[in-house]
Amino acid sequence: MALLFKHEPFTDFNDSTNCQAFESALKKVKGELGKEYPLIINGEEIYTEDKLVSVNPSNKEEVVGYVSKATKEHVDQAMEAALEAFKTWRSWTPKERADVLYKAAAIVRRRKHEFSAWLAYDAGKPWSQGDGGVAEGIDFLEYYARQMVELGQGKKVEDRANEQNSYFYQPMGPGVVIPPWNFAFAIVCGTAVAPIVAGNPVLLKPSENTPVIAYKLVEVLKEAGLPKGVLNFVPGDPAEIGDYLVDHKDTHFVNFTGSRATGTRIMERAAKVQEGQQFLKRVIAEMGGKDTIIVDNDADLDLAADAIVHSAFGFSGQKCSACSRAIIHQDVYDEVLAKAIELTKELTVGNPTEENIYMAAVINQKQFDKIKNYIEIGKQEGELAYGGQTDDSQGYFVHPTIFKDLDPKARIMQEEIFGPVVAFAKASDFDELLEIANNTEYGLTGAVISNNRRHLNRARYEFHVGNLYFNRGCTAAIVGYQPFGGFKMSGTDSKAGGPDYLQHFLEAKVVSEVY
């Protein structure tokens, strides 16, 4: 009997022994800062003069690493390598491919604190957030390995007299993976290894903000026995190689996580058949959210405030699942707001490479300026209830910010901010709570805090999001437990970390034999 999947446990940083171990990992990583990293094409290291420069968001004078930038010519070389590797990688059995992922998971597990420390430097992740991201990466490796072994058995179809039928899955061919910076290990890992374990070589273009931790994953997979050419590492300037990767005639799929604007651009470009292209490209896209927590008048108000605060301000709100809208029943609005403000006052802000704090800096100057601008917009649209401070003198710090009394159609209630800003609005009854929750173009995550079973049952079907949570926050989906993906403009609802995900990278085939 197969063992049930169990997710990787999180580290308890209330234990001083774990804190000491993590501090040692930070010290180790600090000693490795400022190195140069190559492209990896067909297993070969290629250094280029033009480099991406990764900096510590909490200390922008500190360079994490210099990563070589790929050109269009490098993309062509990588695609040739992927096509060649596909000839043999596709013939590996699902179990043989899965074994590479199991080994990679074991390597990462042994070096878990080290990878979390790299996230603190490369992406500005606080300790617990980095630890959770590495645990999620381990989960993706092991979950997709198991899923591929299961899918390798095919699906049952019926036979007839003198006719035998089989239904099985086969890999598609090389594709492109374009992950985001906010989950610079977890999503990079999940989006890359899913098509790989399905038998498809990959060209991985990591975010230009967090290329170093992505390179570390490439190293791990090589150590685990992944053949050359199956994973080609091609970081670069999106303006230079982004469209080229998507448009390439040999790109069979594009696995993307990022903004709505970029995602819809990829969908449009991938739909065009290029000269020499003999298949339709698939696009798997997760494109962000404008996520709402509803608080009913019959609810645990302490739970409600806690859910809002930690969903809004975990990793500085830089999650597509982050709560940026709290819609509260008018009867409990003032009390929930007051409780949320008191909890927010307890949050610590600082540099995660130096201390264990709750929030760090946001990723870069562009995001800092964008969030600061939205705070100014919020002051015009509603009332600043708490926070609002920003400081980019050393790092890109934005303090947790709460606005109250917003109109449901206000800009900060409609547009994705991707920062530590949450807006409160009130509603008169559950009909209005649901109406406001559904009034954006996004449909990724949401939560309902209520003790009214009839209202929860209504929300189950009428709250139009891909991941809906009752009586908890709207972030922290776990692989295998809460497969992740959204409706509407939040993407293709691909449900990463779920039982249907690998089928996006496989072709189902039927063979019928008469005898």
Side-chain angles (χ1 to χ4, degrees):
M1 180 178 176
L3 292 173
L4 294 174
F5 173 77
K6 294 182 68 175
H7 80 88
E8 178 71 14
F10 304 134
T11 301
D12 179 7
F13 287 113
N14 291 315
D15 184 330
S16 61
T17 303
N18 291 334
C19 290
Q20 290 168 9
F22 194 81
E23 286 166 352
S24 295
L26 284 169
K27 185 177 180 180
K28 179 183 187 300
V29 168
K30 188 176 180 66
E32 298 178 19
L33 297 181
K35 290 185 177 180
E36 294 190 5
Y37 297 91
L39 314 177
I40 302 291
I41 298 176
N42 202 31
E44 302 298 320
E45 297 182 354
I46 300 173
Y47 289 88
T48 62
E49 288 188 15
D50 204 7
K51 302 282 197 301
L52 296 171
V53 183
S54 173
V55 300
N56 178 355
S58 298
N59 179 7
K60 57 189 181 181
E61 300 302 316
E62 190 168 51
V63 175
V64 179
Y66 301 91
V67 180
S68 293
K69 289 170 67 172
T71 63
K72 292 177 181 178
E73 289 73 23
H74 291 124
V75 169
D76 287 337
Q77 294 170 24
M79 188 60 79
E80 289 176 17
L83 287 166
E84 186 63 28
F86 183 55
K87 295 175 183 177
T88 52
W89 183 239
R90 67 181 301 174
S91 68
W92 285 42
T93 66
K95 184 182 182 304
E96 288 169 336
R97 296 196 297 260
D99 283 343
V100 175
L101 269 60
Y102 290 135
K103 290 173 186 174
I107 294 166
V108 176
R109 185 176 286 114
R110 287 193 294 269
R111 298 168 54 191
K112 189 178 181 185
H113 288 330
E114 179 191 342
F115 278 89
S116 300
W118 277 110
L119 284 170
Y121 278 100
D122 208 24
K125 288 262 184 180
W127 296 11
S128 61
Q129 294 284 330
D131 181 77
V134 177
E136 186 177 8
I138 294 169
D139 286 348
F140 276 132
L141 288 160
E142 296 190 334
Y143 183 82
Y144 290 149
R146 291 180 183 221
Q147 286 293 309
M148 191 60 235
V149 171
E150 182 178 325
L151 284 171
Q153 300 171 18
K155 297 289 178 70
K156 180 174 171 52
V157 290
E158 301 303 322
D159 294 330
R160 297 188 295 191
N162 303 321
E163 180 185 82
Q164 184 181 50
N165 301 307
S166 59
Y167 184 110
F168 58 94
Y169 297 98
Q170 62 184 29
M172 301 167 62
V176 170
V177 173
I178 306 175
W181 51 261
N182 62 331
F183 285 86
F185 184 79
I187 296 182
V188 173
C189 183
T191 54
V193 304
I196 284 172
V197 79
N200 308 291
V202 157
L203 277 65
L204 171 63
K205 192 207 81 64
S207 167
E208 60 274 21
N209 294 297
T210 53
V212 175
I213 186 68
Y215 182 83
K216 298 293 178 181
L217 173 66
V218 175
E219 286 184 324
V220 165
L221 288 165
K222 179 182 178 182
E223 183 182 343
L226 192 69
K228 67 179 185 178
V230 176
L231 177 56
N232 300 281
F233 183 64
V234 285
D237 183 348
E240 183 177 356
I241 65 170
D243 286 348
Y244 195 72
L245 284 161
V246 172
D247 295 347
H248 201 288
K249 70 178 180 63
D250 294 315
T251 294
H252 285 68
F253 61 87
V254 181
N255 197 6
F256 169 78
T257 304
S259 71
R260 176 196 185 282
T262 303
T264 53
R265 179 185 179 87
I266 288 172
M267 295 278 285
E268 184 177 357
R269 297 190 75 92
K272 183 178 180 182
V273 177
Q274 305 291 329
E275 184 177 351
Q277 181 182 326
Q278 298 182 334
F279 48 84
L280 298 176
K281 296 176 182 178
R282 292 186 192 172
V283 176
I284 301 90
E286 198 277 277
M287 305 190 309
K290 190 66 180 173
D291 309 298
T292 302
I293 293 182
I294 285 176
V295 182
D296 206 355
N297 59 343
D298 180 8
D300 181 333
L301 303 189
D302 290 317
L303 169 64
D306 184 80
I308 292 166
V309 168
H310 293 294
S311 297
F313 301 132
F315 190 42
S316 301
Q318 297 177 118
K319 302 178 183 181
C320 49
S321 60
C323 170
S324 60
R325 311 187 332 149
I327 314 301
I328 318 294
H329 193 288
Q330 62 186 12
D331 294 351
V332 296
Y333 179 86
D334 290 337
E335 190 173 353
V336 173
L337 176 61
K339 287 178 180 290
I341 290 172
E342 289 307 305
L343 286 176
T344 304
K345 288 177 180 178
E346 299 173 6
L347 303 182
T348 54
V349 180
N351 185 343
T353 65
E354 296 176 352
E355 57 183 332
N356 183 13
I357 41 80
Y358 186 81
M359 275 177 54
V362 299
I363 190 67
N364 58 25
Q365 188 73 53
K366 181 181 177 182
Q367 287 299 114
F368 175 89
D369 293 341
K370 175 186 173 184
I371 298 162
K372 186 176 179 180
N373 184 55
Y374 271 114
I375 290 173
E376 293 307 309
I377 292 169
K379 290 175 181 177
Q380 303 301 315
E381 294 183 329
E383 183 179 338
L384 180 63
Y386 183 79
Q389 304 94 332
T390 61
D391 180 5
D392 62 349
S393 58
Q394 183 173 3
Y396 308 109
F397 290 97
V398 180
H399 286 253
T401 301
I402 298 174
F403 285 100
K404 68 176 183 178
D405 302 342
L406 272 300
D407 184 293
K409 296 290 188 181
R411 284 185 64 188
I412 67 166
M413 291 286 285
Q414 293 293 319
E415 298 174 13
E416 188 176 37
I417 300 171
F418 226 65
V421 179
V422 62
F424 278 65
K426 66 179 66 171
S428 59
D429 54 27
F430 199 73
D431 286 339
E432 190 177 13
L433 287 167
L434 277 177
E435 180 185 346
I436 297 171
N438 288 328
N439 77 353
T440 81
E441 65 180 7
Y442 294 104
L444 186 53
T445 75
V448 181
I449 314 298
S450 178
N451 292 320
N452 186 317
R453 177 50 57 183
R454 185 170 63 86
H455 287 174
L456 293 177
N457 286 341
R458 276 192 64 194
R460 180 180 293 270
Y461 301 105
E462 296 180 34
F463 195 160
H464 300 309
V465 293
N467 283 68
L468 179 61
Y469 303 98
F470 292 160
N471 292 312
R472 55 156 282 186
C474 62
T475 63
I478 293 178
V479 173
Y481 293 71
Q482 294 105 13
F484 190 79
F487 301 163
K488 298 160 74 175
M489 282 296 175
S490 286
T492 55
D493 193 32
S494 54
K495 288 295 185 280
D500 302 326
Y501 190 69
L502 291 187
Q503 292 171 50
H504 295 293
F505 311 103
L506 292 162
E507 294 174 331
K509 187 169 186 176
V510 173
V511 174
S512 187
E513 181 179 359
V514 175
Y515 55 91

